[in-house]
Amino acid sequence: IREGFLGSILYKVPDKFSFRTDLLRRLIYAGIPNSLRGEVWSNLAGINEKRASSNEVSYGCMIQHFRDRISVATNDIKRDIHRSLPQHLFFQELQGRQTLEEILCMYSWRNESIGYCQSMNLICAMLLLYTTTENAYYLLSVVCGKFHD
């Protein structure tokens, strides 16, 4: 896939990108360029709508509110962080591991009915490689919510 072509499709329909079109399905099967994966995933998951939802608490507010809380889930997360793509340079750095831990802890507090499950760290680590911290959090919320609901 040419990056410019897929990028131009994304920008034509910024917040209401339908994944049920044959063209988009063919483009995704051909492979989404690394530089566009986070943006494509965010559009397809509808995270802009999720953020705009009146019952959604902003990521920044959650960090301020939950940052120092401790639970069984946060202890499990601390144990699993070092197993999250340890060969990748991003997670060899302290900042990468801290960012991953922050997202997982915020999710566990925001959705206490799920909390934290093994392998969430791997899903979230992969998301962090392609998108921003906040988008990775919302994408994790969408993925886990779809399987939980």
Side-chain angles (χ1 to χ4, degrees):
I1 294 178
R2 287 190 357 249
E3 253 178 71
F5 180 64
L6 185 56
S8 68
I9 291 173
L10 281 176
Y11 291 113
K12 285 182 185 173
V13 193
D15 292 331
K16 300 285 184 185
F17 199 53
S18 172
F19 64 92
R20 299 191 189 275
T21 65
D22 288 333
L23 175 60
L24 181 59
R25 189 174 292 124
R26 285 193 313 260
L27 291 171
I28 289 173
Y29 285 140
I32 301 169
N34 288 342
S35 63
L36 292 175
R37 285 185 182 180
E39 187 176 356
V40 170
W41 294 343
S42 296
N43 277 300
L44 294 177
I47 64 169
N48 289 332
E49 290 86 1
K50 186 169 180 58
R51 268 193 201 118
S53 171
S54 61
N55 64 348
E56 187 62 37
V57 178
S58 77
Y59 186 72
C61 287
M62 286 190 310
I63 289 173
Q64 290 175 346
H65 184 73
F66 293 125
R67 175 167 271 154
D68 296 322
R69 292 176 84 181
I70 297 173
S71 69
V72 172
T74 59
N75 290 331
D76 290 344
I77 290 165
K78 285 182 190 308
R79 266 197 310 272
D80 276 355
I81 287 299
H82 73 278
R83 297 179 227 172
S84 307
L85 306 179
Q87 290 81 21
H88 197 283
L89 291 174
F90 182 74
F91 298 107
Q92 289 176 2
E93 299 290 326
L94 180 61
Q95 180 64 39
R97 292 189 306 273
Q98 286 176 335
T99 301
L100 178 60
E101 182 178 346
E102 180 180 87
I103 292 170
L104 293 168
C105 288
M106 291 308 111
Y107 181 80
S108 75
W109 284 111
R110 180 71 170 107
N111 194 339
E112 290 181 287
S113 64
I114 294 177
Y116 173 74
C117 303
Q118 282 188 331
S119 296
M120 281 179 149
N121 60 321
L122 299 175
I123 294 167
C124 190
M126 184 60 64
L127 294 172
L128 268 174
L129 295 178
Y130 294 101
T131 192
T132 65
T133 301
E134 188 172 350
N135 283 0
Y137 165 78
Y138 284 109
L139 284 166
L140 180 68
S141 298
V142 169
V143 168
C144 292
K146 294 287 185 201
F147 289 110
H148 181 260
D149 292 342

